[in-house]
Amino acid sequence: MSLPVYLNTYMKQNCSITLKTISTILLSAATSLVATAEDAAPESAAADLGAIKTFGWMVAQQSVIPMEFNAEELAAFEAGFEEGSTEAGDIESMQAELQAMSLYLQSRMEGIQARLAAEQAGVNDAYFAELMQNPDIQKTESGLCYTIIEAGEEMRASATDSVLVHYRGTLTDGTVFDSSYERGEPAEFPVSQVVPGFSEGVQLVGKGGKAKLYIPSDLGYGEQVRPGGPIPANAVLVFDIEMIDIIKTAAAE
């Protein structure tokens, strides 16, 4: 499924990182490597060590935002990981420690997330301030910015319709995160089942028309992004869209 057609509810249910997720990842990472000295091979091949290093990278990447450990904190994390990898611990006896860990991680993540969001908000505000210097750019009441390249036919899609569109989605730096053109075929989807900015934007252009959308974070994916995915949290989304067809619902007809 292409990125623009992800349901907001799907993103919220499946893509937000919670403390339970982090705790599960860390505990699974540690307990899955439990081994005894007798079972361990005396030496590890370079390829094996590379795979293990990649595994450590993957564990770190499972958090949408970096934990920003300093050297002392990273050493503590590595010590705990080493103990969990080489000692058969009793998780039941560690409930108090696990609860303290969850509370600490939650507090730390919330602080980092708030700072990163504030920094990104400043970047986004500057981007839109510069964008609005272009007289061809229009802005809706919701905050969606757009320019109509070709108006197309008079009929427009409504929120209850489906549309067939070609599109290219990029970040503000030009990085392409999704493109129906690259797949070689347009995408069909209900107007109501895309992010709000995209939904509003496709209703502004008629069949055969073209437009460029500049979608603020709060009308896009916001913080609800896929871990490790191509769209960072609180990103502005830029879409070039081409309206191939409008599929009216039976009720609308």
Side-chain angles (χ1 to χ4, degrees), residues 126-234:
Y127 174 80
F128 280 105
E130 182 177 354
L131 185 68
M132 293 309 297
Q133 298 300 312
N134 185 339
D136 294 330
I137 304 295
Q138 303 180 63
K139 186 176 183 179
T140 69
E141 186 176 346
S142 71
L144 171 69
C145 293
Y146 70 98
T147 182
I148 300 297
I149 299 171
E150 294 180 23
E153 298 179 5
E154 183 177 350
M155 183 181 69
R156 301 287 188 270
S158 70
T160 58
D161 297 329
S162 291
V163 293
L164 182 68
V165 298
H166 257 314
Y167 65 87
R168 179 180 296 104
T170 66
L171 303 178
T172 56
D173 64 0
T175 300
V176 177
F177 58 79
D178 194 15
S179 173
S180 66
Y181 294 104
E182 292 182 1
R183 291 193 296 275
E185 60 180 5
E188 180 179 336
F189 51 83
V191 173
S192 63
Q193 294 188 8
V194 291
V195 293
F198 200 88
S199 175
E200 182 179 3
V202 296
Q203 297 178 63
L204 298 173
V205 60
K207 180 179 178 180
K210 298 180 180 180
K212 194 177 188 81
L213 311 178
Y214 304 87
I215 302 177
S217 170
D218 61 334
L219 298 179
Y221 294 113
E223 295 180 356
Q224 306 299 326
V225 297
R226 288 189 303 144
I231 301 177
N234 301 303

Side-chain angles (χ1 to χ4, degrees), residues 85-96:
S85 302
T86 58
E87 300 176 9
D90 181 3
I91 294 181
E92 291 297 326
S93 66
M94 296 181 61
Q95 290 305 311

